Amino acid sequence: MTPNRTTVDELIRRMNARDLHPTELCHDDVEWHWPATTPGASVFHGHAGVTEGLEQWSESWDELNMEPEEILEEGDWVLAVLRYRMRGAGSGVYLESSVAHLHQLEDGKLRRWWMFGNSEKARRRFLAGDRPD
């Protein structure tokens, strides 16, 4: 397994454990981009931003488990297609969905990270070599 894949696997493991401070996996200038469809969607910057984003994200779900369906790698890029199984905080509504996380790594640490609600489109774009600027 490549070092980049190991970092992404560890991030997924720690998110499933609701670790809100995986900062040693992140570059000092990390950027985390939430999907445009997420209410209050934003970009979180740096270690403090990742912690803030994870706090907001985890407050939305009483239960959340991400199971990798497919992991694709190309150089410093890793696309993780994940099966989310979650229960809404307060509402108790159960949801299951496929979501894609695109990670750009630098020196083995997360540098930029995007979440996409349409995992099939994200997969097609990744395989076509399309990368965010």
Side-chain angles (χ1 to χ4, degrees):
M1 189 176 308
T2 68
N4 289 341
R5 168 71 186 266
T6 299
T7 298
V8 171
D9 284 347
E10 179 62 10
L11 177 66
I12 294 166
R13 185 193 72 73
R14 291 178 63 177
M15 290 178 76
N16 279 332
R18 294 196 172 243
D19 179 349
L20 303 180
H21 309 285
T23 54
E24 69 277 359
L25 301 176
C26 300
H27 188 280
D28 289 343
D29 296 321
V30 64
E31 295 175 5
W32 182 15
H33 301 256
W34 282 15
T37 57
T38 303
S42 188
V43 178
F44 297 91
H45 296 276
H47 291 177
V50 167
T51 298
E52 176 188 352
L54 286 170
E55 287 171 353
Q56 289 180 24
W57 189 64
S58 68
E59 288 173 359
S60 300
W61 309 108
D62 281 339
E63 299 172 24
L64 176 62
N65 183 49
M66 299 178 295
E67 180 181 326
E69 294 181 324
E70 182 175 25
I71 307 285
L72 302 171
E73 294 182 74
E74 183 180 292
D76 287 334
W77 296 89
V78 178
L79 179 74
V81 177
L82 306 165
R83 172 65 53 186
Y84 275 33
R85 291 180 177 87
M86 53 209 157
R87 187 168 310 281
S91 71
V93 173
Y94 177 81
L95 300 168
E96 189 170 322
S97 181
S98 182
V99 175
H101 289 205
L102 178 62
H103 307 277
Q104 181 185 25
L105 292 100
E106 185 178 299
D107 300 323
K109 293 190 174 196
L110 295 166
R111 178 62 180 88
R112 296 191 301 164
W113 166 20
W114 295 264
M115 295 168 58
F116 300 103
N118 185 330
S119 61
E120 187 53 39
K121 182 178 178 181
R123 183 183 184 281
R124 282 194 314 270
R125 291 179 70 177
F126 184 83
L127 292 173
D130 186 6
R131 304 293 183 269
D133 292 327

